């Protein structure tokens, strides 16, 4: 699909702000008549959409690095402070909290600037355009507050551009903010189209509003609302699962019907360095955010049983007869990628490379010998497209998916399961994901119990969405973080000459080995304090500016 996006001259209407509650309020265009025409509102909206580039200074989506605060991914080098969080050393002065908070509140300004001033254009544009503009701005505001409330809980609610008299805004209860988010999304659902013309690809749609509503409700146990919103999205008949799971995260998957909302990039305009920070050393990558052995062990065998329970599991061939999404998502020893044979064994000083003429040559095996090759022995295939290697590894224009249809289906199923309203529609939703072409894991049936289906959902989500930025929120809302996060951060195997033993599993689905330190390098000891860890602390720098942020709401 030809990539057509909404990148325009955003500087014309960008407003600047170095952080929340700066003493000098954000400023927009100096012309008091701005936001008076369709062109000006369009430019302002395009600026507001830049909030989707929620990236670190390394041009990597924070959602990728945030997987390093979970049990699935290891972030080498403490990028975005996620390793500090994982090791239990984070506090109100941790850099990532401050940076993320500032970015999110800065992005609210874009939406609020439009909503404050768009009345100037009411008599100059069509009613349809006016309502769609407001709907998009309100969707973007809702999207930002989703993350603020989910990460921090009670936070200040800002629905307009602040002036001098509002330098200290108190917090609002997260539950009350959620109702405001729902109000914004209800408006968005009413006025956004089901689909935009190709020339407007990338804008929020009615389906995106329903999907975000469903996600928000699901995360807070509002099962009826979550199921209804997901079902409304499903009944739009716009989205469908992509036939090839792995293609979703490659250039060939851009614009497919599974993608509901994505961050889109364009060469020479806005690019990312995802393949550089994800990819292998031999392809020019840094192998920073890498899958852990824990995640690899979580993938079931192709018979739908855990590897400690399935007769199909062979420790000598541990990646065979597994859920196909393992090999679709993770580069494992013996796989080929970008013409190189991946072999993380430190004893393998050379590896094979397919030359352009098809012949094989031996090359230095940087993925085993480089001091900063993958510390776990695995590399993500998601967003690491050989098409980007090596020319575009530092300037990829491959999209990053924010919401896809598989999530909506699993949201619907989970909400209905929790309501104990299990019918064929629930079974069908799960099986659409689980039995996707090329995945084809055993189907669930209507005769399964609520508890059994709940276990299926809690398997499907980390597997289907591995390394996509959802795991942190799932382990929080399921209140299992203290059960799955603490323990050894196990790295690369010490001895690749003999098979690993079969791991054991806790009742929360966490795999572990009795003699981990003998089998693996140890990358640290993870800590999680359930009394404080389920929400991030508000940055101390913000509390210093506004002491009201330190107050505990009742």
């Amino acid at each position: 699909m030809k990539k057509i996006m909404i990148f325009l001259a955003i500087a014309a209407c960008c407003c600047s702000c170095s952080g929340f509650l700066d003493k000098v309020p954000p400023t927009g265009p100096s012309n008091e008549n701005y936001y008076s025409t369709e062109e000006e509102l369009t430019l302002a909206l395009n600026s507001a959409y830049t909030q989707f580039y929620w990236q670190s200074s390394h041009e990597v989506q924070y959602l990728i690095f945030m997987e390093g605060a979970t049990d699935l991914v290891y972030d080498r080098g403490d990028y975005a402070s996620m390793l500090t969080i994982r090791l239990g050393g984070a506090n109100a002065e941790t850099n990532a909290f401050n940076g993320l908070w500032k970015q999110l509140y800065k992005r609210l300004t874009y939406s609020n600037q439009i909503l404050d001033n768009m009345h100037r254009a009411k008599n100059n544009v069509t009613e349809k355009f006016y309502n769609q503009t407001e709907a998009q701005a309100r969707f973007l505001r809702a999207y930002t507050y989703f993350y603020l409330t989910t990460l921090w809980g009670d936070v200040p609610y800002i629905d307009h551009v602040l002036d001098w008299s509002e330098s200290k805004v108190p917090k609002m209860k997260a539950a009350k903010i959620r109702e405001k988010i729902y109000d914004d999304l209800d408006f968005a659902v009413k006025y956004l189209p089901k689909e935009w013309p190709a020339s407007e690809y990338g804008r929020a749609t009615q389906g995106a509003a329903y999907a975000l509503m469903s996600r928000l409700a699901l995360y807070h146990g509002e099962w009826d609302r979550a199921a209804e919103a997901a079902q409304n999205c499903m009944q739009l008949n716009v989205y469908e699962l992509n036939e090839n799971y792995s293609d979703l995260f490659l250039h060939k998957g851009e614009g497919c019907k599974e993608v509901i909302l994505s961050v889109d990039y364009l060469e020479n305009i806005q690019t990312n360095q995802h393949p550089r920070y994800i990819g292998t050393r031999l392809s020019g990558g840094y192998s920073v955010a890498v899958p852990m052995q824990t995640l690899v062990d979580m993938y079931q065998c192709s018979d739908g049983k855990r590897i400690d329970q399935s007769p199909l599991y062979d420790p000598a061939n541990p990646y065979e007869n597994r859920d196909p999404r393992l090999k679709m998502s993770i580069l494992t020893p013996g796989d080929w990628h970008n013409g190189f044979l991946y072999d993380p064994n430190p004893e393998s000083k050379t590896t094979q490379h397919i030359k352009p003429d098809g012949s094989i040559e031996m090359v230095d095996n940087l993925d085993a010998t480089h001091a900063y090759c993958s510390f776990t022995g695995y590399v993500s295939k998601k967003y690491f497209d050989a098409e980007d290697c090596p020319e575009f590894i530092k300037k990829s224009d491959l999209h990053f998916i924010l919401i896809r249809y598989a999530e909506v289906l699993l949201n619907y199923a989970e909400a209905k399961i929790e309501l104990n309203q299990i019918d064929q529609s629930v079974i069908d939703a799960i099986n659409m994901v689980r039995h996707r072409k090329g995945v084809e894991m055993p189907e669930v049936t209507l005769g399964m119990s609520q508890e059994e289906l709940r276990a299926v959902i809690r398997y499907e989500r980390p597997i289907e969405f591995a390394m996509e930025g959802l795991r942190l929120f799932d382990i929080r809302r399921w209140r299992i973080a203290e059960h799955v996060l603490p323990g050894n951060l196990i790295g690369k195997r010490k001895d690749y000459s003999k098979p690993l033993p079969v791991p054991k599993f806790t009742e929360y689905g966490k795999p572990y080995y009795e003699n981990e330190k003998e089998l693996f390098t140890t990358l640290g000891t993870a800590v999680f304090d359930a009394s404080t860890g389920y929400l991030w602390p508000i940055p101390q720098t913000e509390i210093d500016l506004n002491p009201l942020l330190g107050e505990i709401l009742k």
Side-chain angles (χ1 to χ4, degrees), residues 114-325:
I114 295 168
L115 295 168
D116 279 4
N117 295 290
M118 63 179 294
H119 63 275
R120 301 171 185 171
K122 191 156 192 175
N123 295 326
N124 302 328
V125 299
T126 66
E127 182 179 4
K128 178 180 178 181
F129 178 84
Y130 189 88
N131 288 333
Q132 287 184 343
T133 297
E134 182 176 353
Q136 290 175 81
R138 293 181 69 167
F139 173 87
L140 293 171
R141 181 169 65 188
Y143 183 84
T144 299
Y145 268 115
F146 165 80
Y147 281 104
L148 281 166
T149 55
T150 307
L151 290 169
W152 280 280
D154 302 339
V155 296
Y157 184 76
I158 311 296
D159 62 358
H160 61 280
V161 178
L162 300 178
D163 62 27
W164 288 92
S165 66
E166 300 172 293
S167 61
K168 291 180 173 59
V169 179
K171 293 188 294 186
M172 182 182 288
K173 293 291 289 184
K176 188 172 181 180
I177 296 176
R178 283 203 304 277
E179 292 307 313
K180 293 181 177 295
I181 296 174
Y182 288 131
D183 286 345
D184 280 345
L185 292 176
D186 284 338
F187 188 91
V189 161
K190 183 176 180 180
Y191 291 108
L192 288 177
K194 290 200 296 185
E195 296 180 276
W196 290 94
S199 60
E200 301 296 320
Y201 180 77
R203 297 192 183 277
T205 60
Q206 193 177 83
Y210 277 134
L212 183 58
M213 189 184 301
S214 175
R215 180 191 283 184
L216 177 64
L218 190 81
Y219 282 14
H220 295 281
E222 299 173 288
W223 309 121
D224 283 311
R225 190 173 231 162
E228 180 181 11
Q231 187 173 47
N232 285 338
C233 184
M234 294 156 62
Q235 290 176 344
L236 293 174
N237 296 318
V238 171
Y239 308 105
E240 60 186 43
L241 296 183
N242 201 47
E243 282 197 356
N244 189 309
Y245 176 82
S246 57
D247 282 356
L248 284 166
F249 315 101
L250 305 176
H251 285 284
K252 64 180 69 174
E254 293 183 301
C256 74
K257 288 191 173 183
E258 184 165 346
V259 176
I260 295 176
L261 188 68
S262 63
V263 187
D264 296 301
Y265 296 88
L266 189 64
E267 185 181 353
N268 298 322
I269 302 294
Q270 179 74 49
T271 58
N272 64 68
Q273 295 199 55
H274 297 161
R276 189 182 202 188
Y277 284 85
I278 290 170
T280 58
R281 282 287 170 178
L282 279 167
S283 291
Y286 289 166
S287 303
V288 169
V290 291
M292 297 189 70
Q293 184 71 43
T294 300
L295 172 57
V296 172
D297 289 340
M298 288 168 65
Y299 286 85
Q300 294 175 349
C301 285
S302 56
D303 59 2
K305 297 179 180 179
R306 281 191 333 221
I307 61 174
D308 64 326
Q309 299 172 337
S310 173
L312 298 179
Y313 183 66
D314 178 6
N317 298 285
Y319 313 114
E320 302 302 319
N321 300 315
R322 302 287 293 278
D323 185 324
R325 287 171 291 188

